[in-house]
Amino acid sequence: MSDPVIHIRGLKTQFGSHVVHENLDLEVERGETIGVIGPSGCGKSVLLNQIVGLLQPAEGDIEVFGHTLNQLSSRERHALERRWAVMFQDGALFSNLTVRENVMAPMREHTDLSLTLMKELADLKVLMAGLTSTAVNKRPSELSGGMRKRAALARALALDPELLFLDEPTAGLDPITAGRFDELVRELSKTLGLTVFLVTHDLDTLKSTCDRIAVILDKHIKYIGPLQEIARIDDPWIKEYFSGPRGRAVVD
């Protein structure tokens, strides 16, 4: 691959005596959307959390934008982290803040913009995420599940990241709302030139948004490629994953 945004080599993840990943390698190309799948408990979200620095691997190197994370100073790491954003599974919105205030939070922490400009930019991000202007003054408890996901996406876009991490972005959404969210992610990734690292169980999301699929099995990335190629692999877990009506539908 040329110009990988994420380059992982020999990653080992261990909690006590429990080894989650061993000798895991992965490269993510600039501008692609990659979906990470695998059985429950295989460490999909753990892998995401390690890339963004919330967990430390036992062994191996993680490079993002050409920088090895465990070799950076605090200042260098802080600067690098401004180039990515994370949308966690539950949205992780501040319950006591409005949507606008939630989106402004990263701007307050990382920029010296005026309050007026932060408000204007926050409102723009809210509209980009598919919410109406009436949503900016609402708190998370006043929003539907789909609206909370969009608000969380707006906050993730607050600092114009180059790399976006999405952890189960459509979990808990009805099929129609999930489909609209998938369409939004696809449109934003193309319009903004984002690289997207996406953890999901949702077959429709894989088909709608992902250029390649990475499958975690046996503690490492066992298979990687386009959805149609992955679906044809003669592996027991792959066969079971794609054997249901929804699985057959996305590969037909």
Side-chain angles (χ1 to χ4, degrees):
M1 287 180 197
S2 60
D3 194 24
V5 170
I6 300 172
H7 188 187
I8 301 173
R9 300 183 301 273
L11 189 74
K12 182 176 182 178
T13 309
Q14 187 168 357
F15 300 102
S17 61
H18 178 54
V19 176
V20 180
H21 304 135
E22 190 154 30
N23 199 29
L24 185 150
D25 298 329
L26 177 65
E27 289 190 359
V28 180
E29 296 183 69
R30 186 176 298 276
E32 78 168 326
T33 296
I34 190 164
V36 180
I37 66 173
S40 296
C42 72
K44 300 181 292 295
S45 295
V46 168
L47 178 60
L48 184 156
N49 287 333
Q50 287 183 321
I51 299 172
V52 302
L54 296 178
L55 294 171
Q56 295 300 315
E59 297 176 9
D61 292 318
I62 300 174
E63 287 184 11
V64 183
F65 299 116
H67 300 277
T68 303
L69 298 186
N70 61 11
Q71 297 178 0
L72 298 179
S73 67
S74 296
R75 182 187 294 272
E76 291 169 332
R77 179 61 182 259
H78 186 73
L80 189 66
E81 288 177 350
R82 287 195 55 178
R83 300 175 66 183
W84 71 60
V86 186
M87 180 185 150
F88 294 102
Q89 183 173 341
D90 59 359
L93 296 169
F94 298 111
S95 60
N96 62 327
L97 300 182
T98 65
V99 170
R100 177 190 286 135
E101 290 167 339
N102 266 282
V103 179
M104 288 170 58
M107 301 179 195
R108 289 180 181 274
E109 181 178 357
H110 295 285
T111 75
D112 296 319
L113 298 174
S114 68
L115 182 61
T116 299
L117 183 53
M118 282 193 288
K119 288 181 178 179
E120 292 176 356
L121 288 173
D123 289 357
L124 175 61
K125 303 300 182 182
V126 168
L127 293 175
M128 288 173 61
L131 292 172
T132 64
S133 58
T134 58
V136 296
N137 292 316
K138 293 183 177 181
R139 286 180 167 77
S141 61
E142 301 175 272
L143 304 176
S144 67
M147 293 174 71
R148 284 195 297 273
K149 297 279 189 179
R150 289 174 184 265
L153 180 60
R155 187 177 64 181
L157 296 173
L159 298 178
D160 299 320
E162 301 168 57
L163 172 59
L164 181 62
F165 295 91
L166 304 175
D167 191 1
E168 297 285 2
T170 57
L173 300 182
D174 65 82
I176 294 174
T177 304
R180 290 172 178 165
F181 193 89
D182 289 339
E183 182 178 351
L184 174 64
V185 170
R186 184 174 66 249
E187 290 177 355
L188 288 174
S189 65
K190 290 181 179 179
T191 302
L192 303 177
L194 296 171
T195 302
V196 181
F197 183 100
L198 188 155
V199 171
T200 188
H201 287 97
D202 194 320
L203 286 157
D204 293 324
T205 296
L206 296 176
K207 182 178 182 180
S208 299
T209 64
C210 295
D211 299 299
R212 291 191 304 155
I213 311 299
V215 185
I216 300 179
L217 288 172
D218 302 329
K219 303 178 182 179
H220 63 280
I221 303 294
K222 191 170 184 178
Y223 308 112
I224 188 166
L227 176 64
Q228 299 292 336
E229 291 182 8
I230 296 297
R232 291 195 293 268
I233 293 173
D234 185 14
D235 178 279
W237 187 84
I238 296 287
K239 286 184 174 181
E240 183 177 6
Y241 187 74
F242 289 100
S243 65
R246 294 180 67 217
R248 291 192 295 270
V250 299
V251 298
D252 286 344

